[in-house]
Amino acid sequence: MKRLLSSCLAKTVAIALFVLFSLGFAAGCFGLAYNFAQGSYDGAAPAFEDSFWCSALISRQLQRLSSALQPDVLSLSRAWTDAIPSPMPTAEAAGTGGEGAVAGEASDPTPMPASTAAPAGAGISAAPATEAADGDAISEDIAAALASALLDQLSSLELPQNLALRVSDLDGTLLYDSAESLSGYTTRDSWVMYRCYGSNGEITTFLNGLPGPGFSEAGWGFLLRISLRQACVEGDAFFAAAVWHYRLLAARNWLFPVVGALLLLCLGLLVFLFCAAGRRKDEPSPRCAWIDRIPTDLFYAAVLLLAFSLVCLILRGAELLSGSWQVAPLLALAALGGTALALLALLLLMSTATRVKTRTFFRNSVVFHVLRFFYRILRRVCRALAELFQNLPALWKLYLLLLGYAGFSLVFLLSRSGFGLLLWCGLTLTGLVFLSKFVLALQRLYAGAKRMRDGDLSVKIPLSGLYGACRAHAQCLNDLAEGMGRAVEARMKSERMKTDLITNVSHDIKTPLTSIVNYVDLLKKEALDNETAAGYVQVLDRQAQRLKKLTEDLVEASKAQSGALNVVLAPTDLAELLRQCAAEYEERFAAAELTPILTLPEAGLSALADGRLLFRVLDNLLNNAVKYALPGTRVYIDVAALDGQARIALRNVSRDALNMDPAELTARFVRGDASRATEGSGLGLSIADDLMKLQGGRLILSIDGDLFRADLLLPPVVADRDQ
C-alpha cells in the first residue's frame, strides 16, 4: 500500500479518473436539478414549450425585440415639424405595468410634442380632434409615422427559424405577420410585448404579459406576439434546447444510480489522493512539491475566481443561446472550464492535505507573511518600550503609572458621558486588580525569603501569576536558594568525605599500632643486657603511645563532628567531677610545676550533661594547661552559676605568646605553640568544642595577653526538676 501511495503513475491515473467522474457527477446533478425544476418527478414531463428553458429563451428574445423596435427619430421629427409649428418639450419614457413589465427597458428619448388634431386612420388608433386639444391623443401623422417606422424595423429583423411574429395595433388590426399560417405553432399568453406611445411623450413597455386592468394610456401602441414551432427544425438555439430538454427528461430514471455511483467513486479516489498527497518514493515523511509552495491564499483565490467565472457562464447560458452563440461552442467552453475547475480543485485539495501534513498551511501564505512582518515590527516596538520601562528606576515607573492614570481619569471625567464614566470605572477596577496582585506577589516573595532565612533551602517560589520585577526577584531568590543548597550539599559531602577518611585511616592505623604497642610491652618485660637497646625500647614505647593517642583523638574528633556519639544527658555534680579530675592530674601538675586552685560552691551545683563526655572535655582542657602553662604559676578552676547557667571557668598563664584569635584555637590541628615543639595533635580544643555542642552547652575561649581562659556553659538542673 505504501508503494502504491508513493507511485506517481497511480496518482496520475487517480487524478484523471477523478476529473472524469467529477464532470460526470456535475452533469448528473445538473440533470437531476433540471428534472426537479420541471416537476418531472411529481407528474407528467412537460413539453419543451412549457419548460423553463424555453421561457428563458423567449424572454430573451422579447428583450432583444424591445431593444430593436425603437422609433425612427428622424422620421418622427419631420412628421412633427410638418404637423405642428412649435414642438412640445420632450419627456423621457418610463414603463410600469403588471407581470413581466420592464421599467425603462424600452425608453426612448424621441421628442414627442402634443398634437392638436388627429383624425383616425386605418389600422391606427387615434382620438378625435376635439380631444387633441386636451392632450388625450396623438395626431394621425405621428401615429402613421410610428406605424411606418415599426413596419420598416420589423421587415429588417432576422428571426430564429423556429419563431413567428404577429404584430397588431391596440384595436386588433394586424400590422405584421412573419408566417403565412400559425398552424403547427404554439403561442402562450406570456409570449407578448406591449408598447404604447402616449400623447404626453411617454413610452410604456410591457414584456411577458399585458398590463393590468387598472392601466390606461391614450395614444398609439402595438401588441407583439411570439409563436414557437411545435416541431422545431435544426438551425437555432430553440432546436438545440429542445433536444437537450427531451434528453434530460428521458434520462431521469437512471440519473439517481449513476450520480450515486459517481459520487462514491469520487469520494474513494479523493480519499486515496489525500493519503497519497506529499508522498515520495523511498521517503518516510511527506514533502512539499513545487505546487505546494504557491501561497495558500493566492491558490484559493485563483480557484474561486475560476469557479465564479464558470458559474457566471452557466447563469448566462440562456442569454448566450438566445443570441448568435451556438450550442456546441458553449458546451465545449463549459466542459473545458469545468475540467479545468475540477483539476484545479483537486490539486488544491491535495495541496491542502500536503500542507496540513507538513504543517505549512498557514505559514505558506501571503497573509501569514504580512502578519508576521507587522508582528515583528510590533514586537520590536514593544521590546524597546519594555526595555525603556525596565531601565527606569522603580520610582519613575510609579510616577509614570500614576501620571497615566491621572491623565485617563481627567479625560474620562471631563467627557461628561456615561460611556466615559464607565471606562474610568473599568480602568480603576483594573488598576485595583493589578495593585492587589502586586501586593500578593510581595507577600509571596516575603514568605519565601523568610523560609529561606530559617534554613529551608528547598523552598521554591512559584512564578505563576508573577510579572515584571516581582517575577525577576522571585527567580533570583529561587536561584539563590538553589545555589546555597548546592553549596551546603557540597560542604556536607566534603565533611563526610573527610570524616570517612579520618575514620578509615584511623582504623587502618589502629590495627598495626596495637601490635606495635603489644610487642613493645613484651620487650620491656624482657631482660635486656644492652642499655642502648633498652633505651631504644623506651623511645618506641613513648612514640607508640603518642601515636595511639593521636589516633584516638582523630577517631573521637570525627565522631564528635559528625554527631555519631551516643549522648545521655543526666544531672551531673560539677564540683565532684572537678575533684576527680584534679586528683587524676595531681602528679602531672606537680611534674609541670603548676598549682591548681579550685573554687567550688559549698552547696554544690548540678548541670544537665553527659558525665563521660564532660569528663573528656575537662581532660582536654587540663591536658592543654599542663602542656602550655608557664611553670611555677597557678591554674584556677572555678564553678559557679551565672545568668541562669552553670559555668566552669579554667584560667592559666601561657608559656608562649598567644598572638591569635581565640576562635582559631577551636579549629582542627591548631596548637598554641607555632613551633609545634610540644607533643599534641591540635585536636583537643576542637574535640572539646564539639562535645559541648552535643550536650547543649558552649565552650568560650578568651585571651588577655598571656592569660588563657576557657569557660564551659551548661544548662543547670533546677531543684524541683524531675530526674
Side-chain angles (χ1 to χ4, degrees):
M1 188 62 185
K2 292 183 179 180
R3 183 177 299 177
L4 184 63
L5 291 175
S6 60
S7 174
C8 183
L9 178 60
K11 287 188 281 190
T12 304
V13 173
I15 290 174
L17 291 177
F18 178 82
V19 172
L20 181 62
F21 293 157
S22 61
L23 290 178
F25 175 75
C29 290
F30 174 76
L32 288 175
Y34 186 81
N35 279 278
F36 274 109
Q38 297 299 326
S40 60
Y41 291 103
D42 298 333
F48 172 67
E49 54 267 20
D50 296 325
S51 64
F52 295 117
W53 205 335
C54 180
S55 298
L57 292 176
I58 293 294
S59 297
R60 182 56 185 167
Q61 194 65 34
L62 287 173
Q63 291 177 2
R64 290 184 59 203
L65 291 173
S66 176
S67 300
L69 299 178
Q70 298 294 339
D72 189 348
V73 178
L74 183 58
S75 300
L76 290 176
S77 298
R78 290 175 180 175
W80 225 294
T81 303
D82 296 339
I84 303 171
S86 57
M88 179 181 177
T90 62
E92 292 187 357
T96 58
E99 180 181 0
V102 178
E105 172 66 23
S107 61
D108 187 3
T110 306
M112 301 291 290
S115 60
T116 58
I124 301 176
S125 174
T130 58
E131 298 177 357
D134 298 332
D136 295 333
I138 63 175
S139 66
E140 181 181 358
D141 295 335
I142 298 299
L146 289 172
S148 176
L150 176 63
L151 293 175
D152 291 341
Q153 292 174 350
L154 287 172
S155 61
S156 62
L157 286 177
E158 293 183 3
L159 297 174
Q161 299 181 16
N162 293 294
L163 291 185
L165 294 183
R166 175 168 289 188
V167 183
S168 60
D169 62 7
L170 298 182
D171 293 335
T173 304
L174 183 63
L175 298 179
Y176 176 80
D177 194 352
S178 64
E180 297 179 357
S181 174
L182 293 181
S183 60
Y185 284 84
T186 301
T187 303
R188 296 288 184 265
D189 293 338
S190 60
W191 298 354
V192 297
M193 181 184 73
Y194 168 81
R195 176 170 291 172
C196 180
Y197 299 89
S199 59
N200 56 358
E202 294 183 353
I203 301 175
T204 305
T205 302
F206 288 88
L207 298 179
N208 300 322
L210 296 175
F215 176 81
S216 63
E217 178 70 27
W220 181 86
F222 65 89
L223 185 65
L224 183 147
R225 293 182 179 274
I226 293 180
S227 300
L228 176 65
R229 194 188 300 272
Q230 295 177 353
C232 295
V233 297
E234 186 176 0
D236 60 2
F238 287 91
F239 175 79
V243 170
W244 282 103
H245 170 76
Y246 290 112
R247 286 180 179 176
L248 290 175
L249 292 181
R252 64 181 182 274
N253 294 325
W254 50 269
L255 280 177
F256 278 108
V258 170
V259 168
L262 290 176
L263 178 61
L264 292 178
L265 289 174
C266 289
L267 291 178
L269 290 173
L270 195 61
V271 171
F272 171 78
L273 291 174
F274 280 172
C275 296
R279 296 285 182 180
R280 298 291 185 276
K281 189 176 181 180
D282 300 332
E283 292 186 8
S285 59
R287 180 170 57 88
C288 292
W290 65 269
I291 197 171
D292 303 321
R293 295 184 177 90
I294 301 175
T296 306
D297 42 9
L298 295 183
F299 203 171
Y300 271 88
V303 174
L304 291 177
L305 180 61
L306 180 60
F308 178 76
S309 303
L310 186 61
V311 169
C312 291
L313 177 63
I314 293 174
L315 293 178
R316 296 194 60 189
E319 178 182 348
L320 296 174
L321 287 175
S322 63
S324 60
W325 287 80
Q326 299 297 322
V327 177
L330 289 177
L331 290 178
L333 182 61
L336 182 61
T339 304
L341 178 62
L343 183 59
L344 277 179
L346 179 61
L347 293 178
L348 176 62
L349 293 176
M350 293 182 62
S351 178
T352 301
T354 304
R355 295 167 197 253
V356 171
K357 292 178 182 178
T358 56
R359 299 180 180 179
T360 58
F361 180 80
F362 183 67
R363 295 179 61 86
N364 188 18
S365 63
V366 177
V367 174
F368 172 78
H369 291 291
V370 172
L371 292 178
R372 185 174 63 175
F373 173 74
F374 285 108
Y375 169 74
R376 288 179 176 177
I377 294 178
L378 182 61
R379 185 176 62 179
R380 290 179 181 177
V381 172
C382 293
R383 284 182 176 178
L385 293 177
E387 184 177 0
L388 177 62
F389 188 76
Q390 289 177 359
N391 292 330
L392 290 175
L395 191 60
W396 281 103
K397 293 180 183 179
L398 179 61
Y399 287 162
L400 287 178
L401 291 175
L402 292 178
L403 184 61
Y405 174 75
F408 279 115
S409 300
L410 184 62
V411 172
F412 292 151
L413 293 179
L414 290 179
S415 62
R416 295 183 179 180
S417 63
F419 181 71
L421 182 60
L422 183 63
L423 286 179
W424 179 80
C425 293
L427 180 63
T428 304
L429 290 177
T430 304
L432 290 176
V433 169
F434 279 103
L435 184 61
S436 302
K437 293 184 67 174
F438 179 72
V439 173
L440 292 176
L442 289 180
Q443 290 181 354
R444 191 190 301 181
L445 293 176
Y446 174 74
K450 186 176 180 181
R451 291 179 60 185
M452 295 177 189
R453 181 200 64 183
D454 295 338
D456 186 6
L457 300 180
S458 63
V459 63
K460 291 292 181 181
I461 301 176
L463 300 180
S464 59
L466 299 179
Y467 303 97
C470 293
R471 186 182 184 92
H473 190 58
Q475 185 64 47
C476 289
L477 288 177
N478 290 337
D479 295 341
L480 178 63
E482 185 177 356
M484 292 178 63
R486 288 196 299 266
V488 170
E489 184 179 358
R491 179 70 177 270
M492 293 178 63
K493 183 178 180 180
S494 176
E495 291 295 332
R496 286 195 299 270
M497 291 180 63
K498 289 191 293 184
T499 302
D500 294 342
L501 175 63
I502 293 173
T503 303
N504 295 333
V505 171
S506 300
H507 183 271
D508 293 339
I509 294 176
K510 206 170 183 181
T511 302
L513 182 59
T514 303
S515 300
I516 293 173
V517 171
N518 292 333
Y519 279 105
V520 168
D521 188 55
L522 293 175
L523 286 175
K524 287 170 61 178
K525 295 179 180 180
E526 295 291 335
L528 297 177
D529 298 335
N530 192 340
E531 294 183 0
T532 303
Y536 290 162
V537 171
Q538 294 296 329
V539 173
L540 286 175
D541 181 53
R542 185 171 62 254
Q543 297 300 329
Q545 294 296 331
R546 180 181 178 185
L547 184 58
K548 181 179 179 182
K549 181 68 170 57
L550 176 60
T551 304
E552 291 176 351
D553 289 344
L554 285 174
V555 174
E556 190 169 4
S558 175
K559 291 181 179 180
Q561 182 70 27
S562 61
L565 293 175
N566 186 20
V567 180
V568 180
L569 298 179
T572 303
D573 190 349
L574 300 182
E576 184 63 27
L577 184 63
L578 283 174
R579 291 190 187 96
Q580 294 179 8
C581 291
E584 290 190 9
Y585 270 83
E586 184 177 357
E587 294 181 1
R588 298 183 63 182
F589 279 144
E593 301 179 3
L594 296 176
T595 304
I597 306 296
L598 274 70
T599 304
L600 304 177
E602 296 180 357
L605 180 63
S606 297
L608 191 64
D610 188 325
R612 179 177 55 86
L613 298 181
L614 184 57
F615 180 83
R616 179 60 193 271
V617 171
L618 293 173
D619 180 59
N620 286 350
L621 292 176
L622 294 176
N623 184 48
N624 188 67
V626 169
K627 288 190 295 183
Y628 298 112
L630 180 66
T633 59
R634 298 177 180 87
V635 178
Y636 295 91
I637 304 174
D638 300 334
V639 177
L642 181 64
D643 298 333
Q645 290 182 316
R647 186 190 68 175
I648 301 175
L650 188 146
R651 292 168 293 170
N652 66 273
V653 179
S654 175
R655 181 176 60 244
D656 299 320
L658 298 175
N659 297 323
M660 62 179 61
D661 188 359
E664 296 180 5
L665 294 175
T666 57
R668 292 184 180 183
F669 305 107
V670 175
R671 297 170 59 180
D673 59 334
S675 62
R676 305 180 72 88
T678 58
E679 296 183 359
S681 60
L683 294 174
L685 294 179
S686 176
I687 294 173
D689 185 52
D690 292 335
L691 293 179
M692 288 299 296
K693 290 178 181 179
L694 290 176
Q695 300 175 80
R698 289 189 300 163
L699 170 63
I700 301 177
L701 302 179
S702 59
I703 298 175
D704 186 5
D706 292 335
L707 178 63
F708 174 79
R709 180 186 179 117
D711 292 320
L712 302 179
L713 300 179
L714 290 168
V717 177
V718 183
D720 58 350
R721 178 179 297 177
D722 295 335
Q723 299 297 322

